[in-house]
Amino acid sequence: MRPNARRTTLADIARAAGVSVATVSKVVNGRGDVAPHTRIRVQELLHQHHYLAPVFRHTEAAESPTIEVQFKGGLKSYVAETLEGIIDSAAELGASVVVSKASSAPHWARDLVSAGRRAVIAVTSVYTTAHLNELARSGLPLVVLDPLHLPDSRVHSVGATNFAGGLTATRHLLSLGHRRIAYLGGPTMAVCNQARMHGYRAAMEAEGARVPDDYVRPGEFTYETGLLGATALLGLEEAPTAVFAGNDEIAVGVIEAARARGMRVPEDLSVVGFDDTSLAQMASPPLTTVRQPLREMGGAALRTALRLANGEKAESHHIELATELVVRASTAPPREETATLE
């Protein structure tokens, strides 16, 4: 809708539907005393004409803005910790948060507006052009947290220094004396995975350490990727002495694959993860990992969403927070007999 275009009114919808303004008002306000076929007809016209109830047209009308937080897949440690950051910041700033699974239902964005949502935060979800167009038509700002794909120019995003994290993790293993270091990552096209992998390769290249093709394996950010990937790696004739995993779940899968082969971590295999979720501390042994400031990232996403919802400019189109290495018990120098095979 053009900025100066006349907004659709209840009277416009009523004329198009052949009903009274009072009937349309009942549908907008969720009243039950409307015939089902009439309700469906009016709702279709409301969506078709991109109608916004006046209470949602003016930011000053909502004392406690409500932000929709959407995620895809299971509620894993990564998502749970980012949600904590979002919820804590919302409580501090007097905003409300509604959490849901990402939807592709028709007019889903318009339904969010009708329900009073002021912006959307997507946690590692993939948004297509159709999604973005639907959000734009509805006037809902979108903030993507840790985007899997390169964001559209219309999208604001929050992430971490993934390349630096990959570089730091690999340098740590190299400093311990490892040279046969493999990388088990997430989806090939995921932006965060690419950055972590490039950080790994940059560190290996700077040290002059060889990276065989079999040492870099994409997958999903899941335990199963770590379990299956490490099983394949440890079966190689020249198996790695260390594995840098693209996240903590993958790393825990690597530890289990080593245990199943009768290997000890870190005596026979060093493992580094990424994220520093609660899983890293509960792992056996506790996991050396790259810390993403997940709660802080959630807070930054919430603050950005509120600024956009209020018609303000965000501080930056993309915010990157620093990562840091947390050294625990899953890494150690390689065994002498293994190291001499270089």
Side-chain angles (χ1 to χ4, degrees):
M1 180 177 291
R2 297 185 307 276
N4 296 324
R6 187 180 74 85
R7 291 194 181 275
T8 302
T9 65
L10 289 184
D12 295 329
I13 301 297
R15 279 194 296 272
V19 298
S20 68
V21 172
T23 298
V24 177
S25 179
K26 289 178 182 180
V27 173
V28 169
N29 291 298
R31 294 271 298 276
D33 50 341
V34 178
H37 67 277
T38 301
R39 180 181 302 278
I40 292 171
R41 173 60 177 155
V42 171
Q43 287 175 334
E44 287 177 348
L45 286 166
L46 290 169
H47 287 307
Q48 181 181 334
H49 291 277
H50 307 301
Y51 176 79
L52 289 181
V55 69
F56 303 128
R57 290 179 187 166
H58 303 290
T59 59
E60 63 269 22
E63 295 180 2
S64 177
T66 301
I67 307 299
E68 184 87 6
V69 180
Q70 296 189 337
F71 67 96
K72 189 176 181 180
L75 187 58
K76 299 182 179 181
S77 295
Y78 171 92
V79 176
E81 294 191 27
T82 56
L83 283 178
E84 282 191 34
I86 292 170
I87 292 168
D88 287 347
S89 293
E92 179 184 339
L93 297 170
S96 300
V97 170
V98 175
V99 180
S100 66
K101 291 289 190 77
S103 173
S104 57
H107 310 302
W108 62 275
R110 298 295 303 176
D111 291 339
L112 291 180
V113 173
S114 296
R117 310 297 185 260
R118 300 279 301 285
V120 176
I121 297 175
V123 182
T124 66
S125 295
V126 177
Y127 277 72
T128 64
T129 300
H131 283 116
L132 298 178
N133 289 341
E134 172 78 2
L135 285 165
R137 284 193 296 268
S138 302
L140 272 179
L142 171 66
V143 179
V144 179
L145 208 157
D146 213 0
L148 289 179
H149 294 168
L150 285 172
D152 184 283
S153 59
R154 294 170 288 179
V155 178
H156 289 76
S157 58
V158 177
T161 53
N162 289 295
F163 177 87
L167 193 72
T168 302
T170 310
R171 282 177 174 171
H172 169 67
L173 293 169
L174 289 165
S175 72
L176 292 172
H178 292 278
R179 291 299 178 272
R180 298 211 301 271
I181 304 170
Y183 175 71
L184 281 178
T188 303
M189 297 309 294
V191 173
C192 56
N193 178 70
Q194 288 184 23
R196 293 166 198 175
M197 180 191 66
H198 288 315
Y200 153 81
R201 285 190 177 276
M204 295 291 280
E205 182 178 342
E207 191 66 22
R210 190 166 60 91
V211 180
D213 291 341
D214 288 340
Y215 274 26
V216 178
R217 293 173 177 264
E220 300 295 329
F221 288 120
T222 61
Y223 171 86
E224 290 74 21
T225 286
L227 185 64
L228 297 175
T231 298
L233 284 170
L234 297 176
L236 294 174
E237 184 176 347
E238 192 176 41
T241 63
V243 175
F244 169 35
N247 76 343
D248 293 343
E249 278 201 42
I250 295 175
V252 172
V254 172
I255 292 173
E256 174 57 21
R259 187 203 63 78
R261 292 182 66 89
M263 299 174 68
R264 296 170 300 167
V265 174
E267 292 85 354
D268 303 314
L269 181 73
S270 284
V271 182
V272 178
F274 204 106
D275 284 341
D276 195 27
T277 59
S278 57
L279 195 61
Q281 298 179 47
M282 293 187 290
S284 181
L287 185 64
T288 294
T289 189
V290 176
R291 179 181 183 269
Q292 281 202 97
L294 299 176
R295 289 176 178 81
E296 293 89 339
M297 289 162 60
L302 189 280
R303 290 190 294 274
T304 300
L306 287 177
R307 286 193 187 96
L308 296 173
N310 289 330
E312 303 171 14
K313 285 189 176 181
E315 292 178 357
S316 174
H317 205 74
H318 176 68
I319 299 172
E320 272 196 356
L321 302 184
T323 54
E324 63 176 320
L325 183 70
V326 179
V327 178
R328 296 194 179 97
S330 67
T331 52
R335 293 171 57 183
E336 289 185 11
E337 59 267 35
T338 304
T340 56
L341 293 176
E342 294 295 331

